[in-house]
Amino acid sequence: MNTTISIIIPAHNEQNYLEKTLESVTNQTYSEYEIIVVLNGCSDDSEKIVRKFRNVKLLSLSQCSKEV
């Protein structure tokens, strides 16, 4: 029995890295996973890049939340 895992990718203006990261995850041999990308107030093309990938769940925060 395979275990399903969640891969959560937090991102703030990561357009230069997101595509390569998502390609790397989707090219793995293990297939029992879900990908969730959390965009934290991005002002670049990060959301556009994530939307190119099917089966990637997207949570987009309108404002950058900072750790307290």
Side-chain angles (χ1 to χ4, degrees), residues 15-60:
Q15 71 180 14
N16 295 331
Y17 307 101
L18 269 174
E19 189 163 11
K20 194 170 197 175
T21 299
L22 292 170
E23 285 173 352
S24 177
V25 173
T26 57
N27 287 330
Q28 299 303 309
T29 57
Y30 187 81
S31 62
E32 299 299 317
Y33 63 84
E34 67 176 347
I35 303 171
I36 303 167
V37 178
V38 181
L39 299 180
N40 190 12
C42 294
S43 59
D44 63 358
D45 286 333
S46 293
E47 185 169 345
K48 183 178 177 181
I49 291 166
V50 174
R51 290 193 183 279
K52 292 194 296 187
F53 289 83
R54 296 180 337 168
N55 301 324
V56 174
K57 296 176 183 176
L58 173 63
L59 175 61
S60 184

Side-chain angles (χ1 to χ4, degrees), residues 2-20:
N2 287 338
T3 302
T4 300
I5 61 171
S6 296
I7 301 166
I8 301 171
I9 302 171
H12 175 73
N13 293 338
E14 300 295 339
Q15 71 180 14
N16 295 331
Y17 307 101
L18 269 174
E19 189 163 11
K20 194 170 197 175

